[in-house]
Amino acid sequence: MKADIVTIFPDFFRGPLDHGITRRAQEMGLAKIQVHDLREFTRDRHRTVDDRPFGGGEGMVLKPEPLFECLESMRLASQEDRVAGRVKQSVVLLSAQGQRFTQKVAAELVLLDRIVFVCGRYEGVDERVADFLADRELSIGDYVLSGGEIAAAVIVEAVMRLLPGAVGNEASTQQESFTVDAKVRGSEGADSTCGSNGLLDYPHYTRPAEFRGMAVPEALMSGNHEEIRKWRRKRALEKTLRNRPDLLQGAMLSDEDKKFLAGIRRDRG
Ligand code: SAM
């Protein structure tokens, strides 16, 4: 997979993507990340990338010319072909007004060969970029950042860890929070793990078994896989109900799960 990042702050990416799984994916040849300095595509001596908004209002807006020229230099397929899914490419405009980036979107993006990330700045980007250049706008959450760089790094990291081979133990990416994967068991199975099937992950503990009077739950020490699996599933259900009840609607729940949740709700009154 190739990821191109278009930014006015290319140095920003020196740190975040040079560690851990994104570094590993690049070293293994699974991914290539190229950062493009938008100012290289300006034509004036001040290397101007922004201008005042038509109609008045606060702040500055990223101009269309350098962005169009930068993306044209990449020789991508047309926006029409990308939107129709005729090519495995996407141009993503990072925007607070975009569709919410989720694990499901990460699983869609990892199937592509090439993703271009356009990082906005100031009050945003000339809307013609969203209309005629990008094929999707993505937001990493309902808050406003000063630029798209952190959002691009978040998405690159979330997508690249799904590349087959990028994470040492691939099964771990199928058991994580938010992941819905039919191959991973929900409440049945012979080992002690359970897939999240759209829930938050279950709690994890490691040695020591007792730390400053805080003991690891007994069920995990039992060695009984079935008991451990049931304990994990219940804790995942409890945590999801407590922190992200919205996820329960899309989660794959067994009759046993539903009964357990109904019990908690009844106890709460
Ligand atoms: N005027 C815009 C608004 O109110 O929606 C905010 C612009 S923001 C200050 C500048 C840039 O940061 C945006 O163009 C976008 O690239 C990026 N950005 C801000 N919040 C974001 C978010 N939640 N997700 C993705 N990108 C974001």
Side-chain angles (χ1 to χ4, degrees):
M1 163 178 289
K2 170 117 194 271
D4 297 270
I5 302 175
V6 181
T7 172
I8 60 167
F9 294 126
D11 287 349
F12 172 91
F13 294 95
R14 290 245 166 88
L17 302 178
D18 289 344
H19 302 277
I21 284 164
T22 42
R23 178 184 177 153
R24 192 180 136 98
Q26 292 178 84
E27 283 174 354
M28 290 172 74
L30 300 171
K32 184 170 174 353
I33 301 172
Q34 192 175 350
V35 180
H36 304 260
D37 182 353
L38 187 61
R39 290 192 196 276
E40 302 278 316
F41 296 86
T42 55
R43 289 161 187 261
D44 64 317
R45 73 189 165 92
H46 299 294
R47 307 177 88 208
T48 310
V49 289
D50 58 327
D51 208 340
R52 288 191 303 273
F54 276 119
E58 296 303 313
M60 303 293 272
V61 176
L62 280 183
K63 289 156 65 64
E65 306 96 305
L67 284 164
F68 273 75
E69 287 191 23
C70 177
L71 268 77
E72 278 155 12
S73 77
M74 295 180 201
R75 305 197 172 282
L76 300 161
S78 68
Q79 188 200 43
E80 204 184 1
D81 281 347
R82 284 183 266 121
V83 170
R86 286 191 282 268
V87 289
K88 290 183 169 186
Q89 296 179 353
S90 185
V91 174
V92 175
L93 174 64
L94 284 319
S95 169
Q97 301 139 37
Q99 289 175 339
R100 183 82 64 87
F101 176 68
T102 61
Q103 190 67 23
K104 188 164 173 272
V105 177
E108 285 165 21
L109 294 182
V110 77
L111 303 175
L112 303 177
D113 295 332
R114 190 167 187 188
I115 311 173
V116 180
F117 295 94
V118 177
C119 303
R121 275 275 153 181
Y122 315 117
E123 281 311 313
V125 179
D126 186 290
E127 194 67 11
R128 285 165 287 193
V129 171
D131 289 344
F132 302 106
L133 201 52
D135 47 79
R136 69 183 90 194
E137 291 175 82
L138 289 179
S139 162
I140 61 164
D142 293 348
Y143 38 77
V144 178
L145 302 165
S146 303
E149 286 75 10
I150 288 177
V154 165
I155 296 176
V156 167
E157 161 108 15
V159 170
M160 291 205 169
R161 67 194 310 282
L162 298 180
L163 283 170
V167 175
N169 177 6
E170 218 163 289
S172 69
T173 59
Q174 291 166 11
Q175 285 165 14
E176 288 173 323
S177 300
F178 315 114
T179 304
V180 180
D181 188 333
K183 290 188 301 243
V184 179
R185 284 173 301 279
S187 344
E188 309 83 36
D191 71 8
S192 57
T193 60
C194 58
S196 75
N197 286 340
L199 300 176
L200 298 178
D201 195 9
Y202 53 73
H204 303 267
Y205 294 85
T206 185
R207 286 181 288 190
E210 177 144 349
F211 171 65
R212 297 186 181 176
M214 296 176 277
V216 170
E218 254 177 50
L220 296 179
M221 319 286 281
S222 67
N224 179 331
H225 283 189
E226 183 56 13
E227 191 183 335
I228 296 171
R229 191 190 56 72
K230 281 192 169 155
W231 182 90
R232 285 175 162 167
R233 186 71 182 171
K234 284 179 179 171
R235 300 297 81 78
L237 287 162
E238 276 172 357
K239 198 169 219 184
T240 308
L241 183 63
R242 185 169 69 243
N243 292 347
R244 292 292 305 276
D246 56 305
L247 293 177
L248 290 170
Q249 291 204 339
M252 287 164 65
L253 301 176
S254 67
D255 289 345
E256 197 182 332
D257 293 336
K258 288 178 192 159
K259 222 166 114 187
F260 179 69
L261 288 169
I264 304 180
R265 287 185 177 118
R266 212 175 27 248
D267 292 348
R268 280 180 177 179

